[in-house]
Amino acid sequence: MKGILNFMKFSKPQTAVECKKCGAEISASDLSDNLMICPECGAYMRMGAWERLKMIVDEGSFCELDEDLKSSNIIDFPGYDEKLSSAKKASGLSEAVICGTAEVGGNKCAIFVMDSAFMMGSMGTVVGEKITRLFETATTKKLPVVGFITSGGARMQEGILSLMQMAKVSGAVKRHSDGKNLYVAVLTDPTTGGITASFAMLGDIIIAEPKALIGFAGARVIEQTTGEKLPEGFQRAEFLLEHGFIDMIEDRKRLKYTISKVLGMHRK
Amino acid sequence: MSGNEKLKAYDKVLAARNTARHMGGYYIERLIDDFIELHGDRRFGDDAAIISGIGYLNGVPVTVIAMERGTTVEERIKRNFGCPSPEGYRKALRLMKEAEKFSRPIICFIGSSGAYCGIDAEERGQGEAIAENLFEMMGIKVPIISVVVGEGGSGGALALGVCDTAVMLENSVYSVISPEGCASILWKDSSKADEAAEVLKLTSEDLYKFEVVEKIIDETDRTQDEICSDLKNFILSEIEAKKAMSVEDLLAARYEKFRKIGA
């Protein structure tokens, strides 16, 4: 369970965490036991990919795929090598997504979990390739896909090749869908940019966590471009539900139950 | 462009944005005969940032979808400076499905700083509209040729860019992020956009090298007539070649075109 607490401010490393919402000091283990929800004010904090997997998959059922795929500086972007190594160090992950097969409530599925602690969960060629391969495997094996999404968008440091991953993954989602297989997308805070404009919005069933930021354009960019003041709750999960772009908002503690139920109804 | 000198990356960005540069509407006029514009997404509205319709390319019926920012101030306002709204992408998809129904090849012209960033665009699902196009275009059963004529701005450009053959005019650009956006994230200084343009590798030569585009139409020292004639001939030959393929092979090749990027 590496990398689960990296995105938070520590008053003492690995022992106590300050809730950014209410300022409460919470012990790291209590917070982890409470699925990264502040016990004082109920604020959701971001979860690491491994912590997320632990919460969702049946114990001992996860089998990781393509863990050896690692990014390199394919367009010689300045500082990218350093950025990659510090992201690895900070997150304890080799990339911004973990993929594999697992069982959720006894239902076999393919699963991918993104992690915002690794370069804001941005998608370069390796993230795109891993998710594409997962959908292809799921298509061949006729498995549903469950995706936990969090990402700032396409990874600038891999230029146009990152942008093209949006088309590549969307193509793999289409093939999976054409095979009459289920894809459940779970949108968590934050899901933005090119990820929203590709596989985040392509789920047969789209679930979001409460108050998760979900949108295409960045709020600041919109304000600067249009000069308009953003409405309260803009681009939050509740806003997307109201406008008809997600199926439901589900509490973190009920996610496993709900996903299991959905998977069960699509059993072949 | 005059003189033999090739442009630097940021010069190309500026050239692609130059208000005098021709956008999609111009290429419809120059390449397509008997064009009939078709409007509306049948859901919410009609987006003037995208001109779409049917016509003939050298006698071949085609569906054309073109980003256009307008040439006069009034037209630019009407066309939202060429930044498409969700309605524009949905109109494009509607017409692509129609093209599929009537077995017409599709030609897309791309030139926009990006999908419109606005509260209303978010309310109506800008991300969903683009995602839906990427998903559906991968399965449209007629040839799709996409031509970048100006600035290919990120996801908003890619939403018309899932194709069998991608073409760039020599001085067009195509990027994951604007050089200004990149510079402000990277160096907290958007005035370093010229440096960012270099490192982003967004020129037609770069994209050809990365095998993201299959063809560059030369512009240096050439007249508009020559450029249009080249472009027309190339699109025609690609349409012929793609039409000769079975639908199965066509879609497999389209999937593979993107599948191999970063594999």
Side-chain angles (χ1 to χ4, degrees), chain A residues 75 77-78 129 132 136 154 159-160 163-165 167-168 171-172 174-175 196-198 215-217 226 235 239 243 245, chain B residues 117 119 122-127 131 134-135 138 154-155 158 174 176 186 199 201 210 212 255 258-259 261-263:
Chain A
I75 70 163
F77 198 93
E129 180 68 18
T132 299
E136 288 176 338
I160 194 74
L163 186 71
M164 293 299 142
Q165 301 309 306
K168 177 167 121 181
K174 174 137 198 0
R175 288 194 162 187
T196 302
S198 61
F216 174 66
T226 64
Q235 292 183 327
F239 174 91
H243 288 93
F245 288 100
Chain B
C117 294
I119 294 172
E122 294 293 314
E123 283 173 338
R124 297 199 295 277
Q126 187 68 283
L134 304 183
F135 181 89
M138 202 59 93
S154 196
L158 184 63
Y174 197 176
V176 66
L186 207 61
V199 302
K201 304 220 166 51
F210 292 139
V212 170
Y255 186 82
F258 292 91
R259 181 66 188 85
I261 301 174

Side-chain angles (χ1 to χ4, degrees), chain A residues 196-211:
Chain A
T196 302
S198 61
F199 56 89
M201 283 292 148
L202 294 175
D204 296 294
I205 294 175
I206 305 178
I207 305 173
E209 286 199 326
K211 296 196 175 71

